Structure formats: structure tokens, C-alpha cells
Amino acid sequence: MLATALAVAVAGCGGPASTPGPARPPARVVSLAPSVTEIVFALGAGSRVVGVCGQCNHPPAAEKVTRVGGYLSPSVEAVIAARPDLVAVVPSPGNREGVRAIERAGVRVLVVQDRTLADLWASIRSLSDALALGDAGARLVEDLQHGLDAVRARVAGLPRRRVLLVVGHKPLVVAGGGTLQDELLTIAGGDNVAADVGQSWPQLSLEMVVARAPDVIVDTAMGTEAGGQSLFGSLDTVPAVREGRVVTVPADTLYRAGPRVVEAATALAHAIHPDIGPPSG
Amino acid sequence: MSAVLAAERVAAGYGARDVVDDVSVGVTPGTLVGVIGPNGCGKTTLVRVLSGVLAPRQGVVRLDGRPLAEQPRRAVARRVAVVAQDAPLVLGFTVLETVLMGRAPHLPSLAFPRAHDLVVARAALARLDLADLEARPLGALSGGERQRVLLARALAQEPEVLLLDEPTTHLDLRHQVETLEVVRQLCRDGGVGALAVLHDLNLAALYCDRIVLLVDGHVAHAGRPEEVLTAGHLAAAFRTVVHVGRDAVTGDPIVLPVRRDQARRT
Amino acid sequence: MRAPYLTARRLTATLAALALGLVATLAVTLLIGPSHASLGTALGDPSTPDAVILFRTRLPRLLLAAVVGGSLSAAGTALQGLLGNPLACPHVLGVSAGAALAGVLALIAGADPVSPLVPAAAFLGALGTIGAVSFGARAGGRTAPHAVLLIGVVCNAIAAAGIMLVNAIVSYAQAQGVLFWIMGSLSTQSYAVVGAAALYASVGLVWLLRYSQDLNLLAAGEEGAFQLGVDVERVRRMVFLAASLLVGAAVSVSGMIAFVGLIVPHLLRLILGPDHRLLLPASFLGGAAFLVWADTLARVALGPAELPVGVVTALLGGPFFVFLLRRDLRRGMA
């Protein structure tokens, strides 16, 4: 409830046009972030979604919904043309002006965060409250938490592995401490070697990979597997390279604070501990 | 003696306008030709046509009888040197370095100056009273000193033909005289053929063997100084009353402007 | 006061000193980095992490910095001489923008940022831009310097617009990769890349050096140079091409690193004088050392994380550029 109040208060700070909440639950929802789209569908309110951002590709039903611009730059006109009574957004480097414009047009805006797991639980609850779905939010949160606990249990007996999570090849950008991805890594039985660097997405010198000597390199960069091999291939004192544990993991689930975090954590667990058997379902 | 560098009936200009039209001027070895005329009459344009920088629209410029445009640039530069008016200079180079650039046509592209080049360059400096300043950067020189450096650079080219555009503008009387003395000496002793655009009519009368009076892009008069410098010719060209006298000893014409109140008396 | 003229001896002595300085720079910066690596251990046993750090990550990177820094500086010197403007820089040519745009397109077509396809595409982009600028700036057989500058500005604008367009339509993760082109990065573990860059740099540099004296003469004005026997049109074309080759090769492998081609030539001109026979090779050596130091600063400034090298050169170069501009204005030279 506190999270809801906070979210509504944040939305209210946008300007005089935002109202605390309509008498009826919102029937026309626009989602401007892929993670939000997934959450709304997972809560069972997918039929109410009338507009999504261009990058919203999951679940498959979302692909049929009208596009209203990009995650980085939503189209204010398209959003308003969809006549929504609720617009849900995640702050992105480009959408601030667009969101302000939408608020000034008198549309109710709900802002949710996506940086950590705590943010994710809060987002699910506030979306559920905003859509008046009763305890659907709380139940989804519980399901996901159980799923993550299951992953934890799976790797519990295994030795922890030092892991580097690579986001970009050139420049070499990795996941640092305090991020959702860092949390999932830890749940999946890994210790993030870049956790102490002090930034969320630090750019690292190549020599740091050698110095920190991870056991596993999880490569989620946009690029090819061959690219990753050629980048790290000559660093043969690094255990991950020496023992062939440079693993590619698809980035789609891993970088969305949404209902597929359990799949992301599972994929990570298999990347870090291949011996726990193939992923089930 | 025939001209080594000659413009034959050239017409030239910038854009649609011709600044000079049907002009024929020749530079003969051993003589100094002076070009005079009012502002805008085409003197600088004529120098640029003679040096090859500006291609004439009509007519042809010949060096040794052959069209200038057909001869390789470096070969021409070994024989024809130009002292342009207010040419840009790199202020960081020393006087000697600037004058040594005059040796460039005689040296392969990346070569360093040889002993002979240094001798020639320093001789040119000495001739123009610049020897003490050889290590000074150009930025530390006065306007007059820089003008002399430009002439020294031209001398270092060891040219057969010397073209000068207003070489005495920034100079004091002594250096005006010395500059023209140097040029005249080059012509007499070195066989150099020179053409100089001059604004001082008396200096022109003193030093030039021939004078060309340009008006509105045409040659109004050409010949010996006493033939060209008459009150009638000059009044028509410059549109002001002048009095032309004669030096009692040398016979050189002396041009004197006439004050308005004096004019009413004659 | 400087000697009255440049002698072969002064030239070789100065260049030898600069070369020595560069070697010393490389030796010292090899031992500086965010992680600890012992030279003794590395030399003793090539299979230690120390050896991998020093000889497979730091050394190739430092060598690349030297080649790129030298290329950009030499090109900057030549361009400043050619355009008669001490505030001209290599990126003004538009070549870097063309290289960057081509590289970005290769990235979004799916190439991995680390694959050799990207620098190859970028280099082709550079060549294409050179062709376009050469063609566009020539009228009546003359390459006017201001036309070259203007076309360079246009190229930069087009490429910037293209990159922004790309940014708008690709995914967020891909957009990050585009940053490399705009900020620059010297990170490499491949001696092959360093070797290729060095090859192009040598060709470009030797080609440029041929025209050192012509650049001196050209500084005395187009007409003055013409009258001293210089084929002005040909020199302009050749210098422009050689400089473009240097810049294109550099940007292809390291993205756009600003200010190197502006600060180093200007500084060296102040110290060594305007003679291009000394200034051109000196700016290659000086620029190499400068970028090696700048990259080292980028590697260690933030502790374990690193700064993009373009940020360091901009932070060093921006204020310096303003200082230079004000000084030149005060002296009435700009």
C-alpha cells in the first residue's frame, strides 16, 4: 500500500493534470515499457491494454497491440490518440519530456521503477492496485519469490562461482553491484566479480578481466558468440576462458524487471553451474 | 633587344569584368620598366598576368618566346621572381628561413639548403641591409623590414626577370631609394629585366628606363620617362592638375602636384 | 632564440629526442594500470596473469594509442598548414564522420563490435567520404580550402543525423554500442589490429612528409607558393588525401577521439617553430606520447572502472583550446 501511495504521489508530482484515481478501474491502459507490458499481462489484465511501446514483444498477444512509439521516445500523439485512462511508464533516458507532455494532457500516469528486485515487487503491487485487481499483485509476487527460492535451493549445495556478466563488448561494459542482474546472479549461485567497482554499469579495462579471474563469463552483449570468443580468447589465465566457460545467455529476459525473472535466474544458474542438469520448462 | 617576358594584347579580369584590355608590355634584360597609373587601373592585375598567376582571357604571355602557361612551374620560378604587395608571411619563420624559401625552385623538394644556398641568401640579405636581422622571427620586424625581406627572397631566387608590385609602400625615404638602387643595379650589372609598379612618379622618373602609363585597363602612353611624364598626360590620367619640370642637371622630369590656389594663377 | 634556420642535424636531434620520449612513455605506462602486474613475473613466465595483463591487454592497447595519436596529430598538423588555420582539426574533414556512420551501420546490421568487419566497414566509409568531399570541393580544377571545410561540416552534420536516426530506431542495448564511435576506445587485445593501423599510418605519414617543404611554401600564400614553383593544386590534393587516410584509419579502429589533432600540433608549433619538415614527424611522435598518457589516465582515473578516452582528451583539450583561442585573439592572429 505504501508503494502504491508512493507511486501515485510521484505521478501526482507531474503536474496539476494528474488526478489521484478515477472512480472506475482503468479500462484502457497504455504501457510504455516492455517490462510493464509483461507484468500487466501476467496480472491477467492484458485485454485492457490498448497501446504498447515498440519494443514490447512479450507475451505474443502484446505484439498485436497498437504501437505508440519507442521505450526511449514514446509518441505523445499516439498515446493520446489511444484515449487511455492510465499510462504506465518506467523512467528511461529519453522519455521524460514525452511523459510530462502526456501528463499535461490530463492523462493519469503511473511511474514504476525497475532497478532492483525490491523495485519489481513494488511495481507489480502498484500496477495491481492501480488496475484494481485485488490481490492479484500480491499473488504474483509470491509466485515469483517462490520461483526464485527454488533456484536458490537448486544451487545451494554447490560451490559458489566467480562470475562476470558482460553487457557490451566494445566498450567492455559489465553489470556492477546493486543491479537487478547482480541480485539474480547471486541467487543463481554466482559472486559478481565487478560488484565492488562502484558503478551500476561500469566500463572495464580488459586487464581487469584477467585480474579478477572469473570462473564464468556470462556474455549477454548484442553481438555474436564469435565476437565474445575473440574478445576473451587470448586471456587464457582466466579460468572462464581456460575451461571454456564463456557462456552466451539471451538478453531479453535478463534485462527486464518483469515476471520472467525466474526464467532469467534459471538460465543464469545453468550458465554458472552447467552440472545441475538442463533447464526444466 | 627583345623582351624576355612579354604580355601580348592581353585582356584579363575577375568574374565577368575585364580589368585590363588589349595591353602589351614587355620586360627586357638590363632595363627597368615602371608601371604607373591611378588606383584601379589594373596595375596589380597586369603583374599577376605577367607572373602567370592569372590566366589572360585573350592574348598570351610569352617567356623566351614560348607561352608561359605551357612551361613547368618550377622552371619558370627559377627565372621569374615576384615581389607582391602585402604578401602573407608566416610570422614564426626567421628572416633567413624566409629568404631561403626563395631557393626552393633550385632545390629538390625535401633537400636542406646547401652551402651555396646560404651564400646566395645571405648575400641578398646584405644587399638589403638585413644581415643583422637574419635570426629574427618575422613577427618581430616592422612593416618596412618585412617588405625588404620579401625583396630579399625574390633576389635569392636569382631570377632573370623581377616583377615588383609597389615595393616601396611601407618604406622610409632612405629605404625607398635603396630598394630601387638595388633593383637598378641588378638590371645594369646582373642583366636582370625588371618591371615595377610604382606610385611615386618621381622615383619612377629617376630609376626607370621605360614607363608605361595605364589608365582604365589600357596603355595610355609608353616610352621614355620624359615622353610619358607630361603635364597633359598626367592630368588626363590622374584627373588632377600637375606641373612637370625638368631637373637642371640631369634632365629628368620632376612631377609636382599643384595647389588649388596656385592652379588659378597659371 | 632559435637557430636562424633548420639544419638536418637539428632535425635528427629533435626527432631522436622525441622518439626516445615515446619509448620511455610506453615503458612507464606499461606498468600503470587499474590492476597490479609485475614485470619481473611476466618476463619470467609467459603463462602468468601478469604476463597476460602486460603483454596481451596493456601493450597492444598502448601501441594502438601511439599509432592513433600519432596519426591524428600528423593529420592535424598537415591540415592546419593546408588550410592556413591553426585551429583546424582532423575531424573537420568529415572523414571521421563518414567512418563512424559506416561503422554504426555495420553494427546494426548485426556485426559484433569486436569483429574486423566493423573497422573494415568504417574504413570504406572513410574512403567514400574522401571521394565525396574531393569531388564536391573541386570546381574548375581547383580545390578551394574553404569549400573543403564547408563540405566537411556538411558531412559531419549528415553523419551525426544518421547516427541519431540509427539511435532512435535500434534497441537500447544496440544504442550503447554506438557510443563507442562518439567517445572513442583504444581497448584492443589484437596485435593484428595494431599492425594494420600502423601500416596505414606509415603509408599516410611518409606520403605527407613528401610535402613538408611545400606546406612551408604554401603558408606564404597561394600566389607566393605558386611563384616559388609549387604546384598548389596538386599539393592540396595530395595532402588532403594523405591526411584523410591517416584520419580514416585511426577512426576506423578507435572511434572519434577529439582534440588530439588540435592540441598537439599547436603545442609543438609553439615550441618547435613552423617548419613542417620538423613539425610533421614531430607531431606524429608527440601525438603518440600524448594519447598514450591520456589513455593511461582514462584507465586509472576511476579506480577499477575506466573512462572513455574521448572524455579525457576533451577535458584536457577543451580548456586548452579556449586558452589558445583567447591568446590568438589577443595577439590579433585569429
Side-chain angles (χ1 to χ4, degrees):
Chain A
M1 282 313 294
L2 178 63
T4 312
L6 196 60
V8 171
V10 168
C13 288
S18 309
T19 52
R24 290 182 334 279
R28 300 179 64 82
V29 178
V30 163
S31 159
L32 292 183
S35 53
V36 168
T37 307
E38 290 191 32
I39 294 173
V40 171
F41 271 83
L43 287 172
S47 56
R48 297 196 225 172
V49 178
V50 296
V52 294
C53 72
Q55 287 86 353
C56 299
N57 57 1
H58 194 92
E63 299 214 308
K64 304 202 190 85
V65 180
T66 313
R67 264 52 191 154
V68 295
Y71 167 60
L72 288 175
S73 50
S75 162
V76 176
E77 282 176 14
V79 168
I80 293 176
R83 294 173 291 116
D85 34 35
L86 175 69
V87 174
V89 308
V90 169
S92 86
N95 65 4
R96 198 172 180 169
E97 287 308 312
V99 170
R100 284 222 184 97
I102 293 169
E103 284 176 327
R104 280 196 298 270
V107 180
R108 178 180 168 208
V109 171
L110 175 65
V111 180
V112 296
Q113 301 295 333
D114 67 343
R115 299 271 168 79
T116 62
L117 281 177
D119 286 340
L120 175 59
W121 310 144
S123 306
I124 293 176
R125 288 193 188 105
S126 53
L127 277 167
S128 172
D129 287 338
L131 293 167
L133 293 168
D135 65 346
R139 276 186 281 119
L140 181 57
V141 169
E142 217 180 299
D143 282 342
L144 294 178
Q145 284 174 339
H146 284 155
L148 289 179
D149 288 337
V151 176
R152 257 196 214 98
R154 208 116 168 249
V155 297
L158 299 172
R160 297 197 69 79
R161 291 229 164 109
R162 296 165 56 75
V163 181
L164 182 70
L165 179 53
V166 172
V167 180
H169 283 166
K170 197 164 183 170
L172 179 61
V173 177
V174 303
T179 56
L180 174 85
Q181 290 72 25
D182 178 51
E183 290 178 282
L184 294 178
L185 246 186
T186 312
I187 291 172
D191 287 333
N192 187 355
V193 298
D196 66 335
V197 171
Q199 292 174 30
S200 295
W201 305 102
Q203 181 175 323
L204 282 190
S205 306
L206 207 55
E207 64 177 81
M208 292 302 290
V209 179
V210 180
R212 298 283 167 107
D215 301 309
V216 179
I217 295 179
V218 177
D219 190 355
T220 63
M222 292 296 299
T224 61
E225 188 155 341
Q229 298 297 353
S230 84
L231 180 59
F232 302 115
S234 63
L235 311 176
D236 52 17
T237 59
V238 176
V241 176
R242 212 173 45 221
E243 286 148 38
R245 282 202 285 258
V246 179
V247 186
T248 322
V249 167
D252 223 24
T253 53
L254 187 52
Y255 293 102
R256 282 194 198 164
R260 291 190 287 166
V261 281
V262 178
E263 284 152 46
T266 314
L268 277 177
H270 283 282
I272 298 172
H273 296 279
D275 28 305
I276 62 173
S280 46
Chain B
M1 202 189 249
S2 65
V4 56
L5 178 66
E8 296 170 7
R9 308 201 62 175
V10 296
Y14 313 99
R17 228 175 36 110
D18 271 348
V19 176
V20 298
D21 192 16
D22 196 17
V23 168
S24 299
V25 172
V27 181
T28 315
T31 62
L32 170 56
V33 176
V35 176
I36 61 172
N39 285 347
C41 68
K43 304 186 299 257
T44 299
T45 306
L46 177 60
V47 172
R48 298 180 79 219
V49 169
L50 279 170
S51 73
V53 166
L54 184 60
R57 222 192 299 281
Q58 281 174 40
V60 66
V61 178
R62 294 184 192 278
L63 176 65
D64 266 351
R66 290 195 336 273
L68 188 63
E70 291 170 14
Q71 302 184 35
R73 258 289 106 206
R74 268 171 65 90
V76 172
R78 281 195 281 268
R79 306 177 57 195
V80 178
V82 182
V83 182
Q85 191 178 28
D86 292 328
L89 288 169
V90 177
L91 300 178
F93 281 120
T94 63
V95 168
L96 184 53
E97 282 172 332
T98 306
V99 173
L100 276 171
M101 287 196 210
R103 299 299 303 158
H106 300 276
L107 284 169
S109 185
L110 284 178
F112 281 89
R114 307 152 298 184
H116 172 68
D117 302 299
L118 282 166
V119 165
V120 171
R122 285 187 163 128
L125 285 177
R127 221 156 175 181
L128 288 166
D129 194 25
L130 290 168
D132 293 338
L133 300 177
E134 80 167 24
R136 196 81 65 86
L138 290 184
L141 297 181
S142 69
E145 287 165 338
R146 285 184 212 163
Q147 201 167 24
R148 280 149 54 206
V149 171
L150 279 177
L151 179 56
R153 187 176 75 186
L155 294 188
Q157 273 175 268
E158 294 184 309
E160 293 165 40
V161 176
L162 188 57
L163 303 172
L164 307 113
D165 191 354
E166 306 255 15
T168 57
T169 332
H170 300 299
L171 302 180
D172 63 17
L173 187 60
R174 173 175 150 224
H175 288 114
Q176 285 181 31
V177 167
E178 285 192 5
T179 296
L180 287 170
E181 286 287 345
V182 167
V183 174
R184 186 181 158 89
Q185 200 175 33
L186 276 177
C187 296
R188 291 271 179 281
D189 303 337
V192 170
L195 178 144
V197 170
L198 294 168
H199 65 270
D200 186 324
L201 302 177
N202 287 309
L203 282 179
L206 272 182
Y207 284 97
C208 296
D209 302 299
R210 267 170 60 84
I211 291 193
V212 173
L213 173 56
L214 269 188
V215 179
D216 278 341
H218 292 90
V219 175
H221 301 279
R224 292 200 315 277
E226 56 271 19
E227 293 167 8
V228 176
L229 296 174
T230 69
H233 294 163
L234 293 176
F238 290 91
R239 311 233 305 266
T240 189
V241 179
V242 298
H243 171 71
V244 180
R246 237 172 240 314
D247 182 302
V249 175
T250 65
D252 294 316
I254 299 176
V255 179
L256 292 169
V258 175
R259 226 169 55 210
R260 290 285 156 85
D261 56 341
Q262 288 175 336
R264 271 186 257 117
R265 284 190 340 218
T266 57
Chain C
M1 197 152 66
R2 271 199 302 120
Y5 66 103
L6 180 68
T7 57
R9 184 199 299 182
R10 179 163 158 250
L11 177 71
T12 37
T14 312
L15 292 181
L18 283 171
L20 218 61
L22 177 60
V23 170
T25 294
L26 287 169
V28 168
T29 54
L30 182 64
L31 302 173
I32 302 178
S35 61
H36 179 74
S38 144
L39 185 59
T41 315
L43 289 173
D45 183 359
S47 65
T48 54
D50 301 71
V52 173
I53 289 178
L54 289 179
F55 301 122
R56 292 206 204 147
T57 64
R58 277 190 206 166
L59 188 57
R61 178 168 175 155
L62 294 174
L63 291 175
L64 188 65
V67 172
V68 169
S71 300
L72 291 174
S73 299
T77 302
L79 285 172
Q80 288 172 10
L82 191 65
L83 298 172
N85 187 339
L87 299 175
C89 90
H91 298 311
V92 79
L93 281 181
V95 173
S96 0
L101 183 58
V104 166
L105 290 175
L107 275 181
I108 63 168
D112 189 287
V114 179
S115 91
L117 277 180
V118 174
F123 193 57
L124 284 178
L127 293 179
T129 315
I130 294 172
V133 176
S134 300
F135 179 72
R138 285 188 72 182
R142 292 200 41 194
T143 306
H146 51 273
V148 169
L149 261 179
L150 284 175
I151 297 213
V153 168
V154 170
C155 282
N156 273 319
I158 294 177
I163 292 177
M164 279 197 283
L165 175 65
V166 163
N167 250 354
I169 60 181
V170 299
S171 75
Y172 188 40
Q174 275 177 318
Q176 293 280 357
V178 169
L179 271 183
F180 158 74
W181 290 99
I182 302 168
M183 306 265 254
S185 165
L186 291 161
S187 174
T188 184
Q189 72 289 5
S190 160
Y191 283 104
V193 167
V194 178
L199 181 65
Y200 287 116
S202 322
V203 170
L205 183 64
V206 168
W207 190 355
L208 259 188
L209 290 176
R210 275 203 60 205
Y211 298 97
S212 324
Q213 178 69 313
D214 291 317
L215 281 171
N216 287 340
L217 298 175
L218 214 58
E222 200 182 296
E223 284 192 19
F226 182 82
Q227 281 148 2
L228 285 168
V230 175
D231 185 344
V232 174
E233 177 55 31
R234 184 159 180 275
V235 167
R236 282 225 171 97
R237 209 164 47 235
M238 290 292 126
V239 169
F240 168 68
L241 283 174
S244 300
L245 180 69
L246 281 169
V247 175
V251 173
S252 300
V253 295
S254 65
M256 288 216 252
I257 302 180
F259 288 109
V260 179
L262 181 62
I263 309 174
V264 175
H266 211 104
L267 254 181
L268 285 177
R269 187 176 289 115
L270 284 175
I271 302 171
L272 299 175
D275 196 323
H276 288 90
R277 289 173 297 186
L278 174 58
L279 202 53
L280 269 176
S283 60
F284 188 93
L285 294 171
F290 173 79
L291 194 56
V292 170
W293 280 112
D295 186 55
T296 300
L297 197 61
R299 283 187 293 125
V300 300
L302 293 182
E306 67 171 21
L307 276 175
V309 67
V311 171
V312 175
T313 58
L315 285 177
L316 287 176
F320 181 74
F321 179 81
V322 171
F323 159 73
L324 276 184
L325 183 59
R326 288 175 49 103
R327 198 188 65 120
D328 283 353
L329 283 172
R330 256 183 282 127
R331 286 209 200 154
M333 272 157 52

